[in-house]
Amino acid sequence: MNSSSPLTCITELFMITVEQLSFCYQSQGVRQQVLQDVSFQVKAGQSCAIIGPSGCGKSTLLFLLAGLLQAEQGRVRLAEGARCGTILQNYGLFPWKSVAENVALGLRLQKVAKAECSLRVRAALEEMGLAAFSRYYPGQLSGGMQQRVALARALVIQPDILLMDEPLSSLDALTRERLQNLILELWQERQVMPVVVTHSIEEAVFLGRRIIVLGNAPGRIIAQVENREAGKINYRQSSLFFQRCNLLRSTLLEECDVRQA
Amino acid sequence: MCAKRDLLLAAALLLCGWEIAALLLNSMALPQPWQVLTEFGTELLSGRLLDDILISGLRALAGVALGAVSAIPLGLLIGNEPALNRRLSPFIYLLYPMPHVVLLPLVIILFGIGNLSKIVLIGVIIFFQILVTTRDASRDIPPNYLYSLQTLGAGSWQLYCHVILPATLPKILTALRISIGTAVAILFFVESFATTRGLGYLIMDSWGRADYIALYSAITGMALLGFGLYLLLDRLERRFCPWNHLE
Ligand SMILES: Nc1ncnc2c1ncn2[C@@H]1O[C@H](COP(=O)(O)OP(=O)(O)OP(=O)(O)O)[C@@H](O)[C@H]1O
Ligand SMILES: [Mg+2]
Protein backbone atom coordinates (compact mmCIF):
# COMPACT_ATOMS: atom_id res chain seq x y z
CA MET A 1 0.00 0.00 0.00
CA ASN A 2 1.16 3.51 -0.72
CA SER A 3 2.36 4.87 2.58
CA SER A 4 1.31 8.44 1.81
CA SER A 5 -2.34 7.58 1.22
CA PRO A 6 -4.79 9.05 3.74
CA LEU A 7 -6.01 5.53 4.54
CA THR A 8 -2.67 4.63 6.13
CA CYS A 9 -2.90 7.60 8.45
CA ILE A 10 -6.18 6.29 9.75
CA THR A 11 -4.93 2.73 10.17
CA GLU A 12 -1.86 4.02 12.00
CA LEU A 13 -4.19 4.75 14.89
CA PHE A 14 -4.64 1.05 15.23
CA MET A 15 -1.99 -0.98 16.96
CA ILE A 16 -3.47 -4.24 15.76
CA THR A 17 -5.52 -4.76 12.62
CA VAL A 18 -6.85 -8.21 11.79
CA GLU A 19 -8.64 -8.52 8.47
CA GLN A 20 -10.78 -11.48 7.44
CA LEU A 21 -8.38 -13.91 8.95
CA SER A 22 -8.93 -17.64 8.34
CA PHE A 23 -6.68 -20.44 9.38
CA CYS A 24 -6.54 -24.22 8.86
CA TYR A 25 -4.34 -26.76 10.53
CA GLN A 26 -3.08 -29.44 8.21
CA SER A 27 -2.28 -32.61 10.11
CA GLN A 28 -1.93 -36.09 8.62
CA GLY A 29 -3.71 -35.01 5.47
CA VAL A 30 -6.74 -33.73 7.38
CA ARG A 31 -7.61 -30.05 7.10
CA GLN A 32 -9.17 -28.55 10.16
CA GLN A 33 -10.59 -25.07 9.88
CA VAL A 34 -9.81 -23.34 13.17
CA LEU A 35 -10.45 -19.66 12.50
CA GLN A 36 -12.92 -18.24 10.03
CA ASP A 37 -13.21 -14.69 8.86
CA VAL A 38 -11.92 -13.04 12.01
CA SER A 39 -11.65 -9.25 11.80
CA PHE A 40 -11.03 -6.77 14.56
CA GLN A 41 -8.93 -3.75 15.40
CA VAL A 42 -7.38 -2.49 18.58
CA LYS A 43 -6.47 1.18 18.92
CA ALA A 44 -3.19 2.32 20.36
CA GLY A 45 -3.56 2.88 24.08
CA GLN A 46 -6.28 0.26 24.47
CA SER A 47 -6.00 -3.29 25.70
CA CYS A 48 -7.57 -6.43 24.37
CA ALA A 49 -8.93 -9.63 25.87
CA ILE A 50 -9.73 -12.69 23.77
CA ILE A 51 -12.18 -15.12 25.29
CA GLY A 52 -13.99 -18.20 24.06
CA PRO A 53 -14.70 -21.85 24.79
CA SER A 54 -11.82 -24.31 25.00
CA GLY A 55 -10.47 -25.35 21.63
CA CYS A 56 -12.06 -22.48 19.71
CA GLY A 57 -8.74 -21.23 18.40
CA LYS A 58 -7.64 -18.58 20.92
CA SER A 59 -4.06 -19.81 21.05
CA THR A 60 -4.01 -20.10 17.27
CA LEU A 61 -5.12 -16.49 16.97
CA LEU A 62 -2.37 -15.43 19.35
CA PHE A 63 0.20 -17.42 17.33
CA LEU A 64 -0.95 -15.56 14.24
CA LEU A 65 -0.65 -12.22 16.03
CA ALA A 66 2.84 -13.15 17.18
CA GLY A 67 3.85 -14.12 13.65
CA LEU A 68 4.53 -17.72 14.66
CA LEU A 69 1.96 -18.94 12.14
CA GLN A 70 1.19 -17.46 8.75
CA ALA A 71 -2.40 -16.96 7.65
CA GLU A 72 -3.45 -18.37 4.31
CA GLN A 73 -6.37 -15.97 4.05
CA GLY A 74 -6.70 -12.50 5.44
CA ARG A 75 -3.94 -10.80 7.32
CA VAL A 76 -2.60 -9.48 10.56
CA ARG A 77 -1.08 -6.04 10.68
CA LEU A 78 0.69 -4.43 13.57
CA ALA A 79 1.48 -0.72 13.73
CA GLU A 80 4.74 0.03 12.01
CA GLY A 81 7.72 -0.68 14.22
CA ALA A 82 5.57 -2.14 17.00
CA ARG A 83 7.44 -4.70 19.03
CA CYS A 84 5.75 -7.76 20.54
CA GLY A 85 6.58 -9.51 23.76
CA THR A 86 4.96 -12.92 23.94
CA ILE A 87 4.08 -15.29 26.77
CA LEU A 88 2.82 -18.64 25.52
CA GLN A 89 0.51 -21.06 27.26
CA ASN A 90 2.63 -23.37 29.49
CA TYR A 91 6.29 -24.08 28.86
CA GLY A 92 7.10 -20.42 28.54
CA LEU A 93 10.32 -20.47 30.54
CA PHE A 94 13.29 -22.65 29.78
CA PRO A 95 13.92 -24.91 32.78
CA TRP A 96 17.59 -25.30 31.76
CA LYS A 97 18.29 -21.59 32.11
CA SER A 98 18.42 -19.61 35.33
CA VAL A 99 15.94 -16.80 35.89
CA ALA A 100 18.47 -14.18 34.77
CA GLU A 101 19.47 -16.20 31.71
CA ASN A 102 15.83 -16.64 30.75
CA VAL A 103 15.20 -12.92 30.98
CA ALA A 104 18.44 -12.05 29.18
CA LEU A 105 17.71 -14.33 26.24
CA GLY A 106 15.78 -11.84 24.12
CA LEU A 107 18.52 -9.25 24.54
CA ARG A 108 21.27 -11.77 23.82
CA LEU A 109 19.54 -12.80 20.61
CA GLN A 110 19.39 -9.12 19.64
CA LYS A 111 23.14 -8.93 20.29
CA VAL A 112 22.77 -6.28 22.99
CA ALA A 113 26.13 -5.65 24.69
CA LYS A 114 26.78 -7.69 27.84
CA ALA A 115 26.97 -4.76 30.25
CA GLU A 116 23.75 -3.17 29.04
CA CYS A 117 22.10 -6.57 28.95
CA SER A 118 22.81 -7.29 32.59
CA LEU A 119 21.68 -3.82 33.63
CA ARG A 120 18.37 -4.20 31.83
CA VAL A 121 17.87 -7.72 33.15
CA ARG A 122 18.48 -6.54 36.69
CA ALA A 123 16.04 -3.66 36.22
CA ALA A 124 13.36 -5.97 34.79
CA LEU A 125 13.78 -8.46 37.62
CA GLU A 126 13.64 -5.70 40.20
CA GLU A 127 10.46 -4.36 38.69
CA MET A 128 8.89 -7.81 39.04
CA GLY A 129 10.21 -8.17 42.59
CA LEU A 130 12.50 -11.01 41.63
CA ALA A 131 15.93 -9.44 42.16
CA ALA A 132 16.83 -11.99 44.81
CA PHE A 133 16.05 -14.96 42.57
CA SER A 134 18.14 -14.25 39.50
CA ARG A 135 20.30 -17.35 39.98
CA TYR A 136 17.41 -19.70 40.67
CA TYR A 137 16.09 -22.10 38.07
CA PRO A 138 12.40 -21.84 37.11
CA GLY A 139 11.82 -25.25 38.71
CA GLN A 140 12.66 -23.72 42.09
CA LEU A 141 10.01 -20.99 41.86
CA SER A 142 6.29 -20.95 42.55
CA GLY A 143 3.82 -20.64 39.68
CA GLY A 144 3.22 -16.96 40.32
CA MET A 145 6.95 -16.22 40.41
CA GLN A 146 7.46 -18.14 37.19
CA GLN A 147 4.80 -16.05 35.51
CA ARG A 148 6.52 -12.91 36.73
CA VAL A 149 9.80 -14.18 35.23
CA ALA A 150 7.93 -14.73 31.97
CA LEU A 151 6.62 -11.17 32.22
CA ALA A 152 10.12 -9.85 32.89
CA ARG A 153 11.44 -11.76 29.88
CA ALA A 154 8.75 -10.32 27.65
CA LEU A 155 9.13 -6.79 29.04
CA VAL A 156 12.91 -6.55 28.94
CA ILE A 157 12.84 -6.12 25.17
CA GLN A 158 10.58 -3.07 25.69
CA PRO A 159 7.58 -4.25 23.70
CA ASP A 160 4.65 -2.12 22.62
CA ILE A 161 2.33 -5.11 22.66
CA LEU A 162 2.33 -7.86 25.24
CA LEU A 163 0.71 -11.04 23.89
CA MET A 164 -0.25 -13.45 26.65
CA ASP A 165 -1.89 -16.85 26.35
CA GLU A 166 -3.76 -17.71 29.54
CA PRO A 167 -0.96 -16.23 31.63
CA LEU A 168 -2.72 -16.61 34.96
CA SER A 169 -4.87 -19.68 34.57
CA SER A 170 -2.80 -22.02 36.74
CA LEU A 171 -2.44 -19.62 39.65
CA ASP A 172 -4.29 -19.37 42.93
CA ALA A 173 -6.92 -16.62 43.20
CA LEU A 174 -4.83 -14.21 45.24
CA THR A 175 -1.71 -14.45 43.09
CA ARG A 176 -3.86 -14.14 40.01
CA GLU A 177 -5.41 -10.93 41.24
CA ARG A 178 -2.02 -9.50 42.09
CA LEU A 179 -0.70 -10.27 38.61
CA GLN A 180 -3.85 -8.89 37.00
CA ASN A 181 -3.15 -5.63 38.78
CA LEU A 182 0.43 -5.79 37.57
CA ILE A 183 -0.70 -6.21 33.96
CA LEU A 184 -3.10 -3.32 34.41
CA GLU A 185 -0.24 -1.21 35.70
CA LEU A 186 1.91 -2.05 32.68
CA TRP A 187 -0.91 -0.98 30.44
CA GLN A 188 -1.82 2.22 32.27
CA GLU A 189 1.59 3.42 33.32
CA ARG A 190 4.05 1.95 30.83
CA GLN A 191 1.80 2.09 27.77
CA VAL A 192 2.35 -1.57 26.98
CA MET A 193 -0.76 -2.91 25.24
CA PRO A 194 -1.82 -6.17 26.88
CA VAL A 195 -3.50 -8.73 24.63
CA VAL A 196 -4.72 -11.42 26.98
CA VAL A 197 -6.16 -14.74 25.93
CA THR A 198 -8.23 -16.04 28.81
CA HIS A 199 -11.08 -18.33 29.68
CA SER A 200 -11.97 -16.32 32.75
CA ILE A 201 -14.88 -13.95 32.25
CA GLU A 202 -13.86 -11.71 35.15
CA GLU A 203 -10.32 -11.47 33.84
CA ALA A 204 -11.53 -10.50 30.38
CA VAL A 205 -13.77 -7.76 31.77
CA PHE A 206 -11.12 -6.53 34.18
CA LEU A 207 -8.27 -6.34 31.66
CA GLY A 208 -9.85 -5.99 28.23
CA ARG A 209 -10.68 -2.51 26.99
CA ARG A 210 -11.88 -4.38 23.93
CA ILE A 211 -13.15 -7.91 24.42
CA ILE A 212 -13.16 -10.28 21.47
CA VAL A 213 -15.54 -13.18 22.01
CA LEU A 214 -14.81 -16.21 19.86
CA GLY A 215 -17.36 -18.93 19.12
CA ASN A 216 -16.66 -22.52 18.46
CA ALA A 217 -15.77 -24.73 15.51
CA PRO A 218 -14.57 -22.98 13.46
CA GLY A 219 -13.62 -20.04 15.65
CA ARG A 220 -15.23 -16.82 14.55
CA ILE A 221 -16.08 -13.63 16.35
CA ILE A 222 -19.53 -13.81 17.94
CA ALA A 223 -19.30 -10.54 19.83
CA GLN A 224 -17.03 -7.59 20.46
CA VAL A 225 -17.49 -5.74 23.71
CA GLU A 226 -16.55 -2.10 24.14
CA ASN A 227 -15.48 -2.11 27.75
CA ARG A 228 -14.71 1.58 28.24
CA GLU A 229 -14.33 1.46 31.98
CA ALA A 230 -11.59 -1.19 31.97
CA GLY A 231 -8.54 0.03 33.84
CA LYS A 232 -10.41 2.60 35.96
CA ILE A 233 -9.96 2.53 39.72
CA ASN A 234 -12.44 0.38 41.63
CA TYR A 235 -13.96 -0.91 38.40
CA ARG A 236 -13.81 -4.45 39.76
CA GLN A 237 -16.08 -3.46 42.66
CA SER A 238 -18.61 -1.57 40.56
CA SER A 239 -22.01 -2.89 39.57
CA LEU A 240 -21.20 -2.18 35.93
CA PHE A 241 -18.40 -4.71 36.19
CA PHE A 242 -20.84 -7.40 37.28
CA GLN A 243 -23.32 -6.43 34.59
CA ARG A 244 -20.64 -6.78 31.92
CA CYS A 245 -19.56 -10.13 33.34
CA ASN A 246 -23.12 -11.42 33.29
CA LEU A 247 -23.66 -10.21 29.76
CA LEU A 248 -20.48 -11.93 28.62
CA ARG A 249 -21.41 -15.07 30.52
CA SER A 250 -24.80 -15.32 28.85
CA THR A 251 -23.25 -14.71 25.41
CA LEU A 252 -20.80 -17.53 25.98
CA LEU A 253 -23.42 -19.88 27.45
CA GLU A 254 -25.72 -19.24 24.52
CA GLU A 255 -22.91 -20.15 22.13
CA CYS A 256 -22.28 -23.39 24.01
CA ASP A 257 -26.00 -24.27 24.02
CA VAL A 258 -26.30 -23.68 20.29
CA ARG A 259 -23.33 -25.92 19.77
CA GLN A 260 -24.79 -28.74 21.81
CA ALA A 261 -28.24 -28.56 20.24
CA MET B 1 23.35 -40.91 42.74
CA CYS B 2 22.91 -42.74 46.01
CA ALA B 3 24.45 -41.60 49.27
CA LYS B 4 28.09 -42.60 49.85
CA ARG B 5 27.24 -44.49 53.02
CA ASP B 6 24.61 -46.62 51.30
CA LEU B 7 27.03 -47.31 48.49
CA LEU B 8 29.73 -48.52 50.89
CA LEU B 9 27.21 -50.65 52.72
CA ALA B 10 26.07 -52.27 49.48
CA ALA B 11 29.71 -52.93 48.51
CA ALA B 12 30.36 -54.54 51.91
CA LEU B 13 27.27 -56.74 51.54
CA LEU B 14 28.37 -57.84 48.07
CA LEU B 15 31.80 -58.77 49.44
CA CYS B 16 30.13 -60.74 52.26
CA GLY B 17 28.01 -62.59 49.73
CA TRP B 18 31.10 -63.37 47.71
CA GLU B 19 32.96 -64.60 50.84
CA ILE B 20 30.07 -66.86 51.84
CA ALA B 21 29.74 -68.26 48.31
CA ALA B 22 33.49 -68.91 48.19
CA LEU B 23 33.40 -70.69 51.55
CA LEU B 24 30.38 -72.79 50.59
CA LEU B 25 31.67 -73.67 47.14
CA ASN B 26 35.20 -74.31 48.38
CA SER B 27 36.56 -74.44 44.83
CA MET B 28 39.64 -73.11 43.07
CA ALA B 29 37.32 -71.50 40.57
CA LEU B 30 35.98 -69.04 43.18
CA PRO B 31 38.75 -67.66 45.39
CA GLN B 32 37.96 -65.63 48.47
CA PRO B 33 37.69 -61.88 48.15
CA TRP B 34 40.67 -61.09 50.35
CA GLN B 35 42.93 -63.26 48.14
CA VAL B 36 41.70 -61.47 45.05
CA LEU B 37 41.89 -58.02 46.57
CA THR B 38 45.45 -58.64 47.83
CA GLU B 39 46.47 -59.76 44.35
CA PHE B 40 44.66 -56.77 42.88
CA GLY B 41 46.48 -54.41 45.26
CA THR B 42 49.97 -55.84 44.62
CA GLU B 43 49.45 -55.88 40.86
CA LEU B 44 48.15 -52.36 40.96
CA LEU B 45 51.17 -51.19 42.96
CA SER B 46 53.57 -52.98 40.60
CA GLY B 47 52.13 -50.79 37.85
CA ARG B 48 51.32 -53.47 35.31
CA LEU B 49 47.61 -53.73 36.20
CA LEU B 50 47.29 -49.98 36.35
CA ASP B 51 48.62 -49.76 32.79
CA ASP B 52 46.08 -52.31 31.63
CA ILE B 53 43.24 -50.47 33.33
CA LEU B 54 44.37 -47.23 31.72
CA ILE B 55 44.69 -48.81 28.29
CA SER B 56 41.24 -50.39 28.55
CA GLY B 57 39.79 -47.20 29.98
CA LEU B 58 41.19 -45.11 27.12
CA ARG B 59 39.88 -47.54 24.53
CA ALA B 60 36.43 -47.50 26.08
CA LEU B 61 36.37 -43.73 26.50
CA ALA B 62 37.60 -43.10 22.97
CA GLY B 63 34.97 -45.48 21.59
CA VAL B 64 32.16 -43.91 23.60
CA ALA B 65 33.33 -40.42 22.68
CA LEU B 66 33.54 -41.35 19.00
CA GLY B 67 30.03 -42.80 19.05
CA ALA B 68 28.54 -39.91 21.01
CA VAL B 69 30.22 -37.12 19.07
CA SER B 70 28.97 -38.50 15.77
CA ALA B 71 25.53 -39.57 16.97
CA ILE B 72 24.40 -36.49 18.94
CA PRO B 73 24.51 -33.86 16.15
CA LEU B 74 23.07 -36.29 13.62
CA GLY B 75 20.29 -37.36 16.01
CA LEU B 76 19.37 -33.73 16.76
CA LEU B 77 19.25 -32.92 13.05
CA ILE B 78 17.15 -35.95 12.17
CA GLY B 79 14.76 -35.20 15.01
CA ASN B 80 14.21 -31.62 13.88
CA GLU B 81 14.52 -31.59 10.11
CA PRO B 82 11.58 -33.54 8.67
CA ALA B 83 13.23 -33.89 5.24
CA LEU B 84 16.31 -35.47 6.77
CA ASN B 85 14.15 -37.65 8.96
CA ARG B 86 12.25 -38.97 5.95
CA ARG B 87 15.47 -39.86 4.15
CA LEU B 88 17.46 -41.35 7.00
CA SER B 89 14.98 -42.96 9.36
CA PRO B 90 14.38 -45.98 7.07
CA PHE B 91 18.11 -46.72 7.24
CA ILE B 92 18.12 -46.43 11.01
CA TYR B 93 15.07 -48.68 11.13
CA LEU B 94 16.93 -51.35 9.18
CA LEU B 95 20.35 -50.93 10.76
CA TYR B 96 19.51 -50.34 14.41
CA PRO B 97 18.16 -53.78 15.39
CA MET B 98 21.09 -55.77 13.96
CA PRO B 99 23.76 -56.88 16.42
CA HIS B 100 26.54 -54.52 15.38
CA VAL B 101 29.20 -56.57 17.05
CA VAL B 102 29.09 -58.92 14.04
CA LEU B 103 30.59 -56.08 12.03
CA LEU B 104 33.92 -56.93 13.66
CA PRO B 105 35.45 -58.57 10.55
CA LEU B 106 34.51 -55.58 8.43
CA VAL B 107 35.90 -53.16 11.01
CA ILE B 108 39.17 -55.10 11.13
CA ILE B 109 39.46 -55.12 7.33
CA LEU B 110 38.93 -51.37 7.27
CA PHE B 111 40.88 -50.30 10.34
CA GLY B 112 43.44 -53.06 10.96
CA ILE B 113 43.80 -55.09 14.13
CA GLY B 114 45.23 -52.33 16.29
CA ASN B 115 43.58 -49.98 18.77
CA LEU B 116 41.69 -48.16 16.08
CA SER B 117 39.46 -51.08 15.13
CA LYS B 118 38.68 -51.72 18.81
CA ILE B 119 37.69 -48.11 19.32
CA VAL B 120 35.68 -48.00 16.10
CA LEU B 121 33.66 -51.10 16.99
CA ILE B 122 32.74 -49.67 20.39
CA GLY B 123 31.97 -46.38 18.63
CA VAL B 124 29.64 -48.02 16.10
CA ILE B 125 27.62 -49.75 18.80
CA ILE B 126 27.34 -46.63 20.96
CA PHE B 127 26.54 -44.58 17.86
CA PHE B 128 23.30 -46.39 17.13
CA GLN B 129 22.10 -46.40 20.72
CA ILE B 130 22.74 -42.69 21.17
CA LEU B 131 21.46 -41.79 17.71
CA VAL B 132 18.03 -43.30 18.33
CA THR B 133 17.71 -41.83 21.83
CA THR B 134 18.77 -38.39 20.66
CA ARG B 135 16.42 -38.42 17.68
CA ASP B 136 13.45 -39.51 19.78
CA ALA B 137 14.24 -37.07 22.58
CA SER B 138 14.43 -34.13 20.20
CA ARG B 139 11.13 -35.10 18.63
CA ASP B 140 9.53 -34.98 22.08
CA ILE B 141 10.47 -31.37 22.84
CA PRO B 142 7.24 -29.48 23.64
CA PRO B 143 6.79 -27.19 20.62
CA ASN B 144 6.08 -24.19 22.84
CA TYR B 145 9.75 -24.14 23.88
CA LEU B 146 10.69 -23.68 20.24
CA TYR B 147 7.97 -21.11 19.65
CA SER B 148 8.95 -19.19 22.78
CA LEU B 149 12.46 -18.78 21.48
CA GLN B 150 11.19 -17.80 18.05
CA THR B 151 9.14 -15.00 19.59
CA LEU B 152 12.43 -13.65 20.94
CA GLY B 153 13.77 -13.56 17.41
CA ALA B 154 15.91 -16.70 17.25
CA GLY B 155 17.25 -18.28 14.08
CA SER B 156 17.56 -22.02 13.62
CA TRP B 157 21.16 -22.24 14.88
CA GLN B 158 20.04 -20.49 18.07
CA LEU B 159 17.16 -22.92 18.42
CA TYR B 160 19.70 -25.73 18.52
CA CYS B 161 21.90 -23.97 21.06
CA HIS B 162 19.28 -22.63 23.43
CA VAL B 163 16.48 -25.18 23.23
CA ILE B 164 17.06 -28.37 21.29
CA LEU B 165 20.40 -29.35 22.80
CA PRO B 166 19.67 -28.45 26.43
CA ALA B 167 16.17 -29.97 26.27
CA THR B 168 17.58 -33.30 25.10
CA LEU B 169 20.87 -33.31 27.01
CA PRO B 170 19.60 -35.09 30.15
CA LYS B 171 18.17 -37.94 28.09
CA ILE B 172 21.31 -38.17 25.97
CA LEU B 173 23.56 -38.36 29.02
CA THR B 174 21.32 -40.94 30.65
CA ALA B 175 21.46 -43.03 27.47
CA LEU B 176 25.25 -42.70 27.46
CA ARG B 177 25.43 -43.82 31.05
CA ILE B 178 23.28 -46.83 30.30
CA SER B 179 25.38 -47.68 27.27
CA ILE B 180 28.53 -47.88 29.41
CA GLY B 181 27.63 -51.48 30.27
CA THR B 182 27.52 -52.32 26.58
CA ALA B 183 30.74 -50.45 25.91
CA VAL B 184 32.63 -52.42 28.56
CA ALA B 185 31.17 -55.70 27.29
CA ILE B 186 32.36 -54.90 23.76
CA LEU B 187 35.68 -53.84 25.22
CA PHE B 188 36.09 -57.29 26.74
CA PHE B 189 35.20 -58.85 23.39
CA VAL B 190 37.66 -56.80 21.33
CA GLU B 191 40.45 -57.19 23.86
CA SER B 192 40.21 -60.94 23.86
CA PHE B 193 42.21 -61.22 20.63
CA ALA B 194 45.03 -59.56 18.72
CA THR B 195 46.39 -57.67 21.73
CA THR B 196 48.56 -58.32 24.76
CA ARG B 197 47.40 -55.31 26.70
CA GLY B 198 44.15 -54.42 28.42
CA LEU B 199 41.88 -56.03 30.99
CA GLY B 200 40.12 -58.22 28.43
CA TYR B 201 43.45 -59.75 27.50
CA LEU B 202 44.33 -60.23 31.18
CA ILE B 203 41.07 -62.05 31.81
CA MET B 204 41.46 -64.38 28.84
CA ASP B 205 45.14 -64.96 29.60
CA SER B 206 44.76 -65.80 33.27
CA TRP B 207 41.74 -67.92 32.49
CA GLY B 208 43.82 -69.86 29.98
CA ARG B 209 46.51 -70.36 32.63
CA ALA B 210 43.84 -71.38 35.16
CA ASP B 211 45.22 -68.65 37.44
CA TYR B 212 41.92 -67.90 39.10
CA ILE B 213 43.17 -65.31 41.52
CA ALA B 214 44.65 -63.28 38.65
CA LEU B 215 41.47 -63.88 36.69
CA TYR B 216 39.27 -62.42 39.42
CA SER B 217 41.69 -59.59 39.97
CA ALA B 218 41.32 -58.66 36.30
CA ILE B 219 37.55 -59.04 36.52
CA THR B 220 37.61 -56.70 39.53
CA GLY B 221 39.55 -54.23 37.40
CA MET B 222 36.96 -54.50 34.64
CA ALA B 223 34.12 -53.95 37.14
CA LEU B 224 35.85 -50.92 38.61
CA LEU B 225 36.46 -49.55 35.13
CA GLY B 226 32.78 -49.80 34.30
CA PHE B 227 31.89 -48.22 37.61
CA GLY B 228 34.39 -45.41 37.05
CA LEU B 229 33.00 -44.60 33.62
CA TYR B 230 29.48 -44.67 34.97
CA LEU B 231 30.51 -42.32 37.75
CA LEU B 232 32.20 -40.01 35.26
CA LEU B 233 29.02 -39.70 33.20
CA ASP B 234 27.00 -39.21 36.34
CA ARG B 235 29.31 -36.30 37.20
CA LEU B 236 29.03 -34.89 33.70
CA GLU B 237 25.27 -35.01 33.91
CA ARG B 238 25.33 -33.13 37.21
CA ARG B 239 27.78 -30.62 35.82
CA PHE B 240 25.92 -29.93 32.60
CA CYS B 241 22.29 -30.40 33.68
CA PRO B 242 22.14 -28.70 37.08
CA TRP B 243 18.46 -27.87 36.56
CA ASN B 244 17.71 -31.56 36.79
CA HIS B 245 19.05 -31.77 40.32
CA LEU B 246 17.25 -29.06 42.23
CA GLU B 247 16.43 -29.38 45.87
N1 LIG C 1 -0.45 -27.85 15.93
C1 LIG C 1 -1.71 -28.22 15.66
N2 LIG C 1 -1.99 -29.11 14.68
C2 LIG C 1 -3.25 -29.46 14.41
N3 LIG C 1 -4.32 -29.02 15.08
C3 LIG C 1 -4.13 -28.14 16.08
C4 LIG C 1 -2.81 -27.70 16.43
N4 LIG C 1 -2.93 -26.84 17.46
C5 LIG C 1 -4.24 -26.75 17.73
N5 LIG C 1 -4.97 -27.51 16.91
C6 LIG C 1 -6.44 -27.64 16.90
O1 LIG C 1 -6.96 -26.36 16.66
C7 LIG C 1 -8.07 -26.11 17.50
C8 LIG C 1 -7.87 -24.83 18.26
O2 LIG C 1 -6.75 -24.95 19.10
P1 LIG C 1 -6.25 -23.78 20.04
O3 LIG C 1 -5.09 -24.29 20.82
O4 LIG C 1 -6.04 -22.56 19.23
O5 LIG C 1 -7.53 -23.59 20.99
P2 LIG C 1 -7.68 -22.73 22.32
O6 LIG C 1 -8.88 -21.89 22.13
O7 LIG C 1 -6.41 -22.04 22.65
O8 LIG C 1 -7.99 -23.84 23.39
P3 LIG C 1 -7.64 -23.84 24.98
O9 LIG C 1 -8.60 -22.91 25.63
O10 LIG C 1 -7.89 -25.24 25.39
O11 LIG C 1 -6.22 -23.41 25.12
C9 LIG C 1 -8.22 -27.32 18.40
O12 LIG C 1 -9.32 -28.07 17.95
C10 LIG C 1 -6.95 -28.09 18.23
O13 LIG C 1 -7.25 -29.46 18.21
MG1 LIG D 1 -5.01 -22.21 24.18
Side-chain angles (χ1 to χ4, degrees), chain A residues 2 11 64-65 74-75 80-81 102 104 106 130 135 148 163 173 179 184 193 196 213 215 219 224 236 242 254:
Chain A
N2 188 345
T11 53
L64 287 158
L65 290 175
R75 59 181 183 163
E80 212 173 303
N102 261 290
L130 288 165
R135 295 164 146 244
R148 275 186 285 152
L163 301 170
L179 283 175
L184 204 65
M193 169 187 287
V196 189
V213 188
Q224 290 200 47
R236 209 200 281 263
F242 291 102
E254 213 171 286

Side-chain angles (χ1 to χ4, degrees), chain B residues 35-118:
Chain B
Q35 293 175 304
V36 173
L37 292 181
T38 319
E39 165 83 5
F40 184 78
T42 21
E43 285 290 302
L44 203 62
L45 288 179
S46 79
R48 151 98 205 189
L49 183 60
L50 191 64
D51 283 354
D52 283 314
I53 292 180
L54 280 178
I55 288 169
S56 289
L58 284 178
R59 285 171 178 159
L61 262 184
V64 170
L66 178 70
V69 163
S70 45
I72 294 170
L74 189 61
L76 293 178
L77 279 173
I78 295 177
N80 287 285
E81 312 295 334
L84 205 60
N85 182 29
R86 241 189 344 268
R87 301 240 159 78
L88 293 186
S89 275
F91 290 99
I92 298 174
Y93 193 79
L94 290 176
L95 292 176
Y96 175 67
M98 77 184 258
H100 302 106
V101 66
V102 300
L103 292 176
L104 178 70
L106 181 65
V107 170
I108 287 182
I109 291 169
L110 289 175
F111 299 99
I113 54 170
N115 279 325
L116 189 59
S117 61
K118 296 175 174 37

Side-chain angles (χ1 to χ4, degrees), chain A:
Chain A
M1 192 187 287
N2 188 345
S3 63
S4 62
S5 80
L7 210 71
T8 341
C9 300
I10 296 168
T11 53
E12 279 307 288
L13 282 173
F14 294 108
M15 202 64 148
I16 299 173
T17 311
V18 176
E19 286 168 347
Q20 282 147 15
L21 191 65
S22 295
F23 189 82
C24 293
Y25 278 113
Q26 199 83 255
S27 63
Q28 282 137 25
V30 184
R31 268 173 73 89
Q32 188 195 354
Q33 177 107 30
V34 177
L35 292 174
Q36 193 176 45
D37 202 16
V38 171
S39 302
F40 65 92
Q41 291 173 314
V42 189
K43 278 191 197 135
Q46 297 192 333
S47 69
C48 177
I50 300 168
I51 193 166
S54 187
C56 70
K58 303 185 292 295
S59 296
T60 307
L61 179 56
L62 199 87
F63 271 60
L64 287 158
L65 290 175
L68 292 168
L69 294 173
Q70 302 305 323
E72 40 201 297
Q73 277 170 48
R75 59 181 183 163
V76 170
R77 249 177 334 135
L78 304 182
E80 212 173 303
R83 243 191 295 201
C84 275
T86 311
I87 301 178
L88 297 179
Q89 196 170 8
N90 311 323
Y91 301 113
L93 298 175
F94 302 119
W96 48 85
K97 291 188 182 286
S98 71
V99 166
E101 287 167 345
N102 261 290
V103 176
L105 207 49
L107 297 175
R108 274 186 64 192
L109 294 179
Q110 289 177 10
K111 306 242 171 349
V112 172
K114 269 222 166 81
E116 190 196 339
C117 182
S118 63
L119 274 180
R120 282 168 69 177
V121 168
R122 188 153 352 123
L125 286 176
E126 254 159 37
E127 187 179 13
M128 292 294 136
L130 288 165
F133 299 94
S134 63
R135 295 164 146 244
Y136 281 55
Y137 284 94
Q140 294 170 301
L141 304 180
S142 71
M145 290 160 90
Q146 289 184 21
Q147 254 345 325
R148 275 186 285 152
V149 177
L151 271 173
R153 188 174 72 183
L155 288 172
V156 80
I157 58 170
Q158 296 170 338
D160 306 289
I161 303 172
L162 188 55
L163 301 170
M164 292 174 277
D165 196 351
E166 307 204 11
L168 314 176
S169 57
S170 58
L171 304 177
D172 63 280
L174 212 67
T175 314
R176 188 182 315 158
E177 206 169 304
R178 226 181 272 148
L179 283 175
Q180 283 168 352
N181 289 328
L182 186 64
I183 292 171
L184 204 65
E185 226 175 271
L186 290 171
W187 171 33
Q188 301 279 303
E189 275 152 41
R190 295 235 338 230
Q191 280 75 49
V192 181
M193 169 187 287
V195 176
V196 189
V197 166
T198 179
H199 57 232
S200 151
I201 290 165
E202 281 76 18
E203 190 166 290
V205 175
F206 184 60
L207 290 177
R209 169 65 179 75
R210 168 169 294 264
I211 304 172
I212 311 286
V213 188
L214 290 182
N216 225 329
R220 72 227 119 68
I221 295 184
I222 56 172
Q224 290 200 47
V225 182
E226 275 290 338
N227 186 25
R228 267 193 196 85
E229 290 71 19
K232 298 221 166 103
I233 322 167
N234 294 334
Y235 180 44
R236 209 200 281 263
Q237 283 78 37
S238 70
S239 59
L240 190 64
F241 180 81
F242 291 102
Q243 275 171 30
R244 289 260 161 81
C245 287
N246 283 331
L247 192 73
L248 197 53
R249 186 169 289 117
S250 53
T251 313
L252 280 166
L253 280 176
E254 213 171 286
E255 168 68 13
C256 292
D257 288 345
V258 169
R259 195 159 45 95
Q260 273 163 14

